[in-house]
Amino acid sequence: MRIIGGTYREQCAFPSHHELTGSGMRAAAALAGSGVEVLLTSAIHQSEQIEADVVAATYGVTANWLMRTRSVSFSYFTPLNAPVISGIGSRLQQDIDESDDVVLAFGMIESGHVKVAGRRVVVDPQRPRNLTEEDLPAVSADEQAWTLNEREVRQLTGIDDVREGAKRLIADRDLSVVVTKRGPRGALVTTAGYQQTVGACVTESVFPIGSGDVYASAFAWAWGNAGADPVEAATIASNAAAQWCETRNYPIPMDVLDGSVTRDVVPPAGSGLVYLAGPFFNLQQRWLVDVVKDALSPGVWSPSHEVGPGGLEVAKKDLEGLEHCDSILALLDDNDPGTLFEAGYATKMGIPVVTYAENLDAEGAKMLIGSGAQHFTDLSTAVYKAQWAAATRAAERAPAEE
Protein backbone atom coordinates (compact mmCIF):
# COMPACT_ATOMS: atom_id res chain seq x y z
CA MET A 1 0.00 0.00 0.00
CA ARG A 2 1.31 3.44 -0.91
CA ILE A 3 0.56 6.65 1.00
CA ILE A 4 1.30 10.05 -0.51
CA GLY A 5 0.98 12.97 1.88
CA GLY A 6 2.62 15.74 3.82
CA THR A 7 5.14 15.62 6.64
CA TYR A 8 4.66 18.85 8.56
CA ARG A 9 5.54 20.29 11.92
CA GLU A 10 2.50 20.58 14.19
CA GLN A 11 2.22 22.52 17.41
CA CYS A 12 -0.73 23.21 19.67
CA ALA A 13 -0.70 25.40 22.79
CA PHE A 14 -3.69 23.95 24.71
CA PRO A 15 -3.31 21.01 25.10
CA SER A 16 0.40 20.88 24.44
CA HIS A 17 1.34 19.04 21.26
CA HIS A 18 4.54 19.42 19.22
CA GLU A 19 5.85 16.95 16.67
CA LEU A 20 6.90 16.44 13.07
CA THR A 21 4.09 14.36 11.57
CA GLY A 22 1.47 15.69 9.17
CA SER A 23 -1.15 13.79 7.21
CA GLY A 24 1.09 11.36 5.33
CA MET A 25 3.39 10.47 8.21
CA ARG A 26 0.49 10.04 10.64
CA ALA A 27 -1.48 7.85 8.23
CA ALA A 28 1.55 5.62 7.63
CA ALA A 29 2.33 5.39 11.34
CA ALA A 30 -1.29 4.45 12.07
CA LEU A 31 -0.98 1.42 9.77
CA ALA A 32 2.50 0.34 10.82
CA GLY A 33 1.08 -2.66 12.68
CA SER A 34 -1.49 -3.67 10.05
CA GLY A 35 0.51 -6.52 8.54
CA VAL A 36 0.52 -4.80 5.14
CA GLU A 37 3.68 -3.20 3.78
CA VAL A 38 3.04 0.54 3.83
CA LEU A 39 5.32 2.88 1.88
CA LEU A 40 5.19 6.65 2.42
CA THR A 41 6.07 9.18 -0.25
CA SER A 42 6.39 12.62 1.30
CA ALA A 43 8.33 15.86 1.05
CA ILE A 44 10.64 17.54 3.53
CA HIS A 45 13.01 20.47 3.56
CA GLN A 46 16.69 19.60 3.72
CA SER A 47 16.91 21.11 7.22
CA GLU A 48 14.43 18.44 8.44
CA GLN A 49 16.16 15.40 6.93
CA ILE A 50 17.72 13.98 10.10
CA GLU A 51 14.65 14.57 12.27
CA ALA A 52 12.31 13.12 9.64
CA ASP A 53 14.44 9.97 9.41
CA VAL A 54 14.29 9.56 13.20
CA VAL A 55 10.52 10.08 13.30
CA ALA A 56 9.93 7.57 10.50
CA ALA A 57 12.18 4.99 12.17
CA THR A 58 10.48 5.53 15.53
CA TYR A 59 7.05 4.85 14.06
CA GLY A 60 8.19 1.98 11.83
CA VAL A 61 7.50 3.90 8.62
CA THR A 62 9.37 3.26 5.37
CA ALA A 63 9.64 6.66 3.71
CA ASN A 64 10.65 7.87 0.28
CA TRP A 65 11.64 11.50 0.83
CA LEU A 66 11.37 14.19 -1.81
CA MET A 67 12.71 17.68 -1.27
CA ARG A 68 10.62 20.84 -0.95
CA THR A 69 11.73 24.45 -1.07
CA ARG A 70 10.52 25.48 2.41
CA SER A 71 9.59 23.83 5.68
CA VAL A 72 5.87 23.80 6.55
CA SER A 73 4.24 24.05 9.96
CA PHE A 74 0.74 24.16 11.43
CA SER A 75 0.24 26.13 14.66
CA TYR A 76 -2.97 25.78 16.68
CA PHE A 77 -3.96 27.70 19.80
CA THR A 78 -6.50 24.96 20.57
CA PRO A 79 -7.57 22.07 18.32
CA LEU A 80 -10.82 23.97 17.73
CA ASN A 81 -9.04 26.95 16.16
CA ALA A 82 -8.04 27.12 12.51
CA PRO A 83 -4.27 26.68 12.24
CA VAL A 84 -1.77 29.34 11.32
CA ILE A 85 0.16 27.81 8.43
CA SER A 86 3.79 28.67 7.83
CA GLY A 87 5.42 27.68 4.57
CA ILE A 88 2.58 28.30 2.14
CA GLY A 89 4.31 28.74 -1.21
CA SER A 90 6.62 25.80 -0.67
CA ARG A 91 7.12 23.76 -3.85
CA LEU A 92 7.99 20.15 -4.59
CA GLN A 93 11.40 19.98 -6.24
CA GLN A 94 10.27 17.02 -8.32
CA ASP A 95 6.94 15.58 -9.43
CA ILE A 96 5.27 12.71 -7.61
CA ASP A 97 4.25 9.76 -9.79
CA GLU A 98 3.39 6.65 -7.78
CA SER A 99 1.39 3.48 -8.33
CA ASP A 100 0.44 0.49 -6.20
CA ASP A 101 -2.43 -1.92 -5.73
CA VAL A 102 -3.91 0.40 -3.08
CA VAL A 103 -3.02 4.08 -2.82
CA LEU A 104 -4.03 6.77 -0.33
CA ALA A 105 -3.28 10.27 -1.62
CA PHE A 106 -3.62 13.34 0.60
CA GLY A 107 -3.68 16.89 -0.65
CA MET A 108 -0.43 18.69 0.15
CA ILE A 109 0.50 22.25 1.05
CA GLU A 110 3.40 22.12 -1.39
CA SER A 111 2.63 23.04 -4.98
CA GLY A 112 3.65 20.55 -7.63
CA HIS A 113 2.33 17.79 -9.85
CA VAL A 114 1.02 14.64 -8.15
CA LYS A 115 -0.04 11.61 -10.17
CA VAL A 116 -1.20 8.29 -8.69
CA ALA A 117 -2.49 5.01 -10.07
CA GLY A 118 -3.87 1.83 -8.52
CA ARG A 119 -6.63 -0.74 -8.36
CA ARG A 120 -8.27 1.14 -5.51
CA VAL A 121 -7.27 4.73 -4.80
CA VAL A 122 -8.49 6.85 -1.89
CA VAL A 123 -8.12 10.64 -2.12
CA ASP A 124 -8.36 12.99 0.85
CA PRO A 125 -7.99 16.64 -0.28
CA GLN A 126 -6.83 17.85 3.15
CA ARG A 127 -6.99 21.54 2.33
CA PRO A 128 -7.31 23.88 5.34
CA ARG A 129 -8.34 26.80 3.15
CA ASN A 130 -10.14 27.12 -0.17
CA LEU A 131 -10.07 23.90 -2.19
CA THR A 132 -9.71 24.08 -5.98
CA GLU A 133 -9.26 21.60 -8.82
CA GLU A 134 -5.55 22.35 -8.88
CA ASP A 135 -5.23 20.91 -5.37
CA LEU A 136 -6.39 17.45 -6.49
CA PRO A 137 -4.01 14.74 -7.70
CA ALA A 138 -4.30 13.19 -11.13
CA VAL A 139 -5.73 9.72 -10.53
CA SER A 140 -5.95 6.56 -12.62
CA ALA A 141 -7.85 3.81 -10.78
CA ASP A 142 -10.20 0.88 -11.26
CA GLU A 143 -12.14 2.21 -8.28
CA GLN A 144 -11.76 5.53 -6.54
CA ALA A 145 -13.04 6.78 -3.17
CA TRP A 146 -12.84 10.25 -1.70
CA THR A 147 -12.89 11.13 2.00
CA LEU A 148 -13.75 14.80 2.52
CA ASN A 149 -15.19 17.05 5.17
CA GLU A 150 -18.42 18.98 4.65
CA ARG A 151 -16.66 22.22 3.72
CA GLU A 152 -14.69 20.48 0.99
CA VAL A 153 -17.83 18.89 -0.48
CA ARG A 154 -19.47 22.32 -0.66
CA GLN A 155 -16.41 23.96 -2.20
CA LEU A 156 -16.01 21.35 -4.93
CA THR A 157 -19.70 21.19 -5.87
CA GLY A 158 -21.15 24.58 -4.99
CA ILE A 159 -24.03 22.75 -3.28
CA ASP A 160 -24.88 23.59 0.34
CA ASP A 161 -26.67 20.28 1.00
CA VAL A 162 -23.79 17.83 1.54
CA ARG A 163 -26.02 14.85 0.76
CA GLU A 164 -26.76 16.22 -2.67
CA GLY A 165 -23.17 17.39 -3.04
CA ALA A 166 -21.85 13.88 -2.39
CA LYS A 167 -24.23 12.46 -5.00
CA ARG A 168 -22.99 15.06 -7.48
CA LEU A 169 -19.36 14.05 -6.86
CA ILE A 170 -20.24 10.39 -7.48
CA ALA A 171 -22.01 11.21 -10.76
CA ASP A 172 -19.68 13.88 -12.15
CA ARG A 173 -16.34 12.27 -11.27
CA ASP A 174 -17.14 8.58 -11.71
CA LEU A 175 -16.31 7.79 -8.09
CA SER A 176 -17.21 4.54 -6.36
CA VAL A 177 -17.48 6.04 -2.87
CA VAL A 178 -17.63 9.44 -1.22
CA VAL A 179 -17.23 9.56 2.55
CA THR A 180 -18.22 12.91 4.04
CA LYS A 181 -16.56 13.29 7.44
CA ARG A 182 -18.78 15.23 9.86
CA GLY A 183 -16.69 15.36 13.04
CA PRO A 184 -18.73 14.58 16.16
CA ARG A 185 -21.73 13.73 13.97
CA GLY A 186 -19.99 10.80 12.33
CA ALA A 187 -19.77 10.33 8.56
CA LEU A 188 -22.02 10.02 5.53
CA VAL A 189 -21.19 7.20 3.10
CA THR A 190 -22.40 7.75 -0.46
CA THR A 191 -22.26 5.35 -3.40
CA ALA A 192 -24.20 5.26 -6.67
CA GLY A 193 -26.75 3.03 -4.98
CA TYR A 194 -27.20 4.36 -1.45
CA GLN A 195 -26.37 6.82 1.30
CA GLN A 196 -25.85 5.71 4.88
CA THR A 197 -24.79 7.55 8.00
CA VAL A 198 -22.16 6.01 10.28
CA GLY A 199 -22.27 7.36 13.81
CA ALA A 200 -19.26 8.77 15.62
CA CYS A 201 -17.59 6.55 18.20
CA VAL A 202 -17.67 7.69 21.81
CA THR A 203 -14.35 8.40 23.57
CA GLU A 204 -13.41 9.48 27.06
CA SER A 205 -11.32 12.36 25.70
CA VAL A 206 -11.01 14.00 22.29
CA PHE A 207 -7.87 15.32 20.59
CA PRO A 208 -9.17 15.99 17.07
CA ILE A 209 -5.97 17.18 15.35
CA GLY A 210 -5.01 14.43 12.92
CA SER A 211 -8.15 12.35 13.43
CA GLY A 212 -9.08 12.79 9.76
CA ASP A 213 -5.67 11.43 8.72
CA VAL A 214 -6.17 8.29 10.77
CA TYR A 215 -9.74 7.98 9.49
CA ALA A 216 -8.60 8.09 5.87
CA SER A 217 -5.78 5.59 6.44
CA ALA A 218 -8.05 3.09 8.20
CA PHE A 219 -10.71 3.47 5.50
CA ALA A 220 -8.12 2.90 2.76
CA TRP A 221 -6.79 -0.16 4.57
CA ALA A 222 -10.24 -1.68 5.17
CA TRP A 223 -11.75 -0.87 1.76
CA GLY A 224 -8.62 -1.29 -0.30
CA ASN A 225 -6.72 -4.13 1.37
CA ALA A 226 -9.26 -6.01 3.48
CA GLY A 227 -12.09 -5.82 0.93
CA ALA A 228 -14.65 -4.35 3.33
CA ASP A 229 -17.70 -2.70 1.81
CA PRO A 230 -17.79 1.11 2.14
CA VAL A 231 -20.01 1.20 5.24
CA GLU A 232 -17.94 -1.48 6.99
CA ALA A 233 -14.77 0.41 6.08
CA ALA A 234 -16.22 3.69 7.37
CA THR A 235 -17.19 1.98 10.62
CA ILE A 236 -13.64 0.66 11.07
CA ALA A 237 -12.29 4.10 10.21
CA SER A 238 -14.52 5.71 12.83
CA ASN A 239 -13.23 3.33 15.50
CA ALA A 240 -9.64 3.93 14.43
CA ALA A 241 -10.07 7.72 14.55
CA ALA A 242 -11.61 7.39 18.01
CA GLN A 243 -8.61 5.33 19.14
CA TRP A 244 -6.30 8.14 18.01
CA CYS A 245 -8.43 10.90 19.56
CA GLU A 246 -8.38 9.17 22.92
CA THR A 247 -4.79 7.90 23.06
CA ARG A 248 -2.68 9.73 20.43
CA ASN A 249 -0.77 6.45 20.09
CA TYR A 250 0.62 4.65 17.00
CA PRO A 251 -0.01 2.22 15.48
CA ILE A 252 -3.76 1.59 15.52
CA PRO A 253 -4.22 -1.87 17.12
CA MET A 254 -5.00 -4.68 14.72
CA ASP A 255 -8.18 -5.64 16.59
CA VAL A 256 -9.50 -2.14 15.82
CA LEU A 257 -8.52 -2.32 12.15
CA ASP A 258 -10.10 -5.74 11.64
CA GLY A 259 -13.31 -4.71 13.38
CA SER A 260 -12.97 -7.07 16.34
CA VAL A 261 -13.06 -4.21 18.85
CA THR A 262 -15.68 -1.51 18.49
CA ARG A 263 -16.90 1.38 20.60
CA ASP A 264 -20.30 2.70 21.52
CA VAL A 265 -21.71 4.89 18.78
CA VAL A 266 -23.57 8.19 18.98
CA PRO A 267 -27.03 7.75 17.41
CA PRO A 268 -26.52 8.85 13.79
CA ALA A 269 -30.12 10.00 13.46
CA GLY A 270 -29.85 12.36 16.40
CA SER A 271 -28.60 15.85 15.66
CA GLY A 272 -29.69 17.86 18.68
CA LEU A 273 -29.11 21.46 19.68
CA VAL A 274 -26.51 22.57 22.24
CA TYR A 275 -27.15 25.61 24.43
CA LEU A 276 -23.90 27.52 24.86
CA ALA A 277 -23.86 29.11 28.32
CA GLY A 278 -21.04 31.42 29.28
CA PRO A 279 -20.27 35.04 30.14
CA PHE A 280 -19.47 37.42 27.28
CA PHE A 281 -18.68 40.66 29.10
CA ASN A 282 -15.01 41.14 28.15
CA LEU A 283 -12.65 40.30 25.30
CA GLN A 284 -11.40 36.92 26.50
CA GLN A 285 -14.88 35.74 27.42
CA ARG A 286 -16.31 36.76 24.06
CA TRP A 287 -13.37 35.15 22.23
CA LEU A 288 -13.97 31.82 23.96
CA VAL A 289 -17.72 31.93 23.31
CA ASP A 290 -17.11 32.64 19.62
CA VAL A 291 -14.56 29.82 19.26
CA VAL A 292 -16.88 27.32 20.92
CA LYS A 293 -19.90 28.50 18.93
CA ASP A 294 -18.04 27.95 15.66
CA ALA A 295 -17.02 24.47 16.80
CA LEU A 296 -20.61 23.57 17.73
CA SER A 297 -22.20 24.96 14.57
CA PRO A 298 -24.68 24.36 13.08
CA GLY A 299 -26.27 22.64 16.09
CA VAL A 300 -25.89 25.45 18.62
CA TRP A 301 -28.06 28.06 20.29
CA SER A 302 -25.95 30.83 21.79
CA PRO A 303 -27.68 33.51 23.89
CA SER A 304 -24.72 35.78 23.18
CA HIS A 305 -25.57 35.67 19.47
CA GLU A 306 -29.31 34.91 19.49
CA VAL A 307 -30.33 37.41 22.20
CA GLY A 308 -27.27 39.48 23.04
CA PRO A 309 -26.69 41.73 26.04
CA GLY A 310 -29.53 43.66 27.60
CA GLY A 311 -31.51 44.20 30.75
CA LEU A 312 -33.74 41.93 32.79
CA GLU A 313 -35.78 41.09 29.71
CA VAL A 314 -33.04 38.79 28.34
CA ALA A 315 -33.58 36.20 31.08
CA LYS A 316 -36.93 35.04 29.67
CA LYS A 317 -35.60 34.90 26.11
CA ASP A 318 -32.51 32.95 27.14
CA LEU A 319 -34.51 30.37 29.08
CA GLU A 320 -36.97 29.96 26.22
CA GLY A 321 -34.00 29.14 24.00
CA LEU A 322 -32.66 26.69 26.55
CA GLU A 323 -35.98 24.84 26.69
CA HIS A 324 -35.64 23.96 22.99
CA CYS A 325 -32.13 22.53 23.36
CA ASP A 326 -30.96 18.97 23.98
CA SER A 327 -27.84 19.67 26.05
CA ILE A 328 -26.02 22.59 27.59
CA LEU A 329 -22.32 23.39 27.52
CA ALA A 330 -21.51 25.69 30.44
CA LEU A 331 -18.24 27.65 30.47
CA LEU A 332 -17.47 27.96 34.17
CA ASP A 333 -13.97 29.39 34.55
CA ASP A 334 -15.35 32.77 35.63
CA ASN A 335 -18.06 31.41 37.96
CA ASP A 336 -20.63 33.56 36.18
CA PRO A 337 -23.93 33.50 38.16
CA GLY A 338 -26.04 33.53 34.99
CA THR A 339 -24.22 30.52 33.57
CA LEU A 340 -24.61 28.58 36.82
CA PHE A 341 -28.32 29.45 36.91
CA GLU A 342 -28.81 28.23 33.33
CA ALA A 343 -27.01 24.97 34.10
CA GLY A 344 -29.17 24.45 37.16
CA TYR A 345 -32.32 25.21 35.16
CA ALA A 346 -31.25 22.63 32.55
CA THR A 347 -30.65 20.05 35.29
CA LYS A 348 -34.18 20.52 36.57
CA MET A 349 -35.54 20.06 33.03
CA GLY A 350 -33.59 16.85 32.47
CA ILE A 351 -31.31 18.42 29.87
CA PRO A 352 -27.78 16.92 30.01
CA VAL A 353 -25.20 19.34 31.41
CA VAL A 354 -21.57 19.44 30.26
CA THR A 355 -19.21 21.92 31.89
CA TYR A 356 -15.79 23.24 30.93
CA ALA A 357 -13.29 24.99 33.18
CA GLU A 358 -9.54 24.72 33.46
CA ASN A 359 -9.77 25.72 37.12
CA LEU A 360 -13.10 24.61 38.44
CA ASP A 361 -14.36 26.10 41.70
CA ALA A 362 -15.14 22.77 43.35
CA GLU A 363 -17.30 24.32 46.06
CA GLY A 364 -19.20 26.51 43.65
CA ALA A 365 -19.84 23.64 41.24
CA LYS A 366 -20.70 21.10 43.92
CA MET A 367 -24.43 21.12 43.19
CA LEU A 368 -23.91 20.73 39.43
CA ILE A 369 -21.37 17.91 39.62
CA GLY A 370 -23.30 16.25 42.42
CA SER A 371 -26.46 16.22 40.28
CA GLY A 372 -24.83 14.53 37.31
CA ALA A 373 -23.13 17.23 35.23
CA GLN A 374 -20.07 16.05 33.29
CA HIS A 375 -17.03 18.25 33.83
CA PHE A 376 -13.96 18.52 31.57
CA THR A 377 -10.78 20.55 31.72
CA ASP A 378 -10.09 20.02 28.01
CA LEU A 379 -12.05 22.27 25.66
CA SER A 380 -12.24 19.94 22.66
CA THR A 381 -13.50 17.10 24.81
CA ALA A 382 -16.17 19.30 26.39
CA VAL A 383 -17.40 20.44 22.97
CA TYR A 384 -17.64 16.90 21.59
CA LYS A 385 -19.29 15.57 24.74
CA ALA A 386 -21.93 18.31 24.62
CA GLN A 387 -22.70 17.49 20.99
CA TRP A 388 -22.91 13.76 21.70
CA ALA A 389 -25.19 14.37 24.67
CA ALA A 390 -27.47 16.49 22.49
CA ALA A 391 -27.53 13.89 19.71
CA THR A 392 -28.38 11.10 22.15
CA ARG A 393 -31.20 13.04 23.79
CA ALA A 394 -32.60 14.13 20.41
CA ALA A 395 -32.62 10.55 19.18
CA GLU A 396 -34.31 9.34 22.37
CA ARG A 397 -37.01 12.00 22.08
CA ALA A 398 -37.66 11.51 18.35
CA PRO A 399 -40.13 8.56 18.57
CA ALA A 400 -42.31 10.39 21.09
CA GLU A 401 -42.48 13.44 18.83
CA GLU A 402 -43.48 11.58 15.64
Side-chain angles (χ1 to χ4, degrees), residues 61-73:
V61 172
T62 301
N64 171 36
W65 300 120
L66 307 178
M67 291 295 111
R68 62 183 175 218
T69 57
R70 299 172 62 184
S71 59
V72 179
S73 66

Side-chain angles (χ1 to χ4, degrees), residues 121-346:
V121 173
V122 177
V123 174
D124 191 321
Q126 285 279 300
R127 294 295 292 181
R129 299 288 190 266
N130 294 329
L131 176 65
T132 68
E133 293 292 331
E134 294 180 356
D135 300 315
L136 301 173
V139 177
S140 174
D142 296 338
E143 294 182 88
Q144 187 178 170
W146 283 13
T147 61
L148 313 91
N149 61 37
E150 293 176 291
R151 173 183 54 78
E152 291 164 342
V153 171
R154 294 187 180 105
Q155 287 179 345
L156 286 172
T157 63
I159 299 173
D160 286 336
D161 185 335
V162 293
R163 288 181 173 271
E164 293 303 316
K167 292 178 183 177
R168 175 69 61 83
L169 289 174
I170 291 284
D172 290 354
R173 298 173 183 269
D174 193 29
L175 303 179
S176 299
V177 188
V178 170
V179 180
T180 307
K181 297 175 289 185
R182 309 176 77 184
R185 292 175 293 130
L188 175 67
V189 178
T190 304
T191 70
Y194 64 82
Q195 281 190 320
Q196 184 169 330
T197 301
V198 175
C201 293
V202 178
T203 60
E204 290 301 314
S205 60
V206 183
F207 183 80
I209 295 174
S211 59
D213 308 332
V214 175
Y215 188 103
S217 66
F219 180 87
W221 183 89
W223 182 67
N225 287 293
D229 68 49
V231 172
E232 290 172 334
T235 301
I236 289 170
S238 181
N239 277 275
Q243 178 77 15
W244 161 256
C245 287
E246 190 170 81
T247 68
R248 285 195 260 175
N249 289 337
Y250 307 112
I252 299 302
M254 191 61 205
D255 55 9
V256 175
L257 289 175
D258 67 16
S260 300
V261 173
T262 59
R263 295 170 179 263
D264 292 337
V265 175
V266 181
S271 53
L273 197 61
V274 180
Y275 184 93
L276 176 53
F280 48 95
F281 308 120
N282 57 42
L283 177 62
Q284 62 264 33
Q285 291 172 347
R286 185 57 187 259
W287 178 87
L288 180 59
V289 167
D290 284 354
V291 167
V292 175
K293 177 184 178 293
D294 287 346
L296 291 169
S297 292
V300 59
W301 200 93
S302 168
S304 167
H305 299 83
E306 303 290 345
V307 178
L312 297 177
E313 75 282 356
V314 304
K316 184 175 184 296
K317 295 178 182 178
D318 288 355
L319 294 180
E320 286 174 349
L322 176 55
E323 289 171 358
H324 290 92
C325 292
D326 295 290
S327 74
I328 178 173
L329 175 55
L331 308 178
L332 295 183
D333 262 321
D334 291 306
N335 267 332
D336 173 59
T339 302
L340 290 167
F341 180 88
E342 289 165 327
Y345 191 92

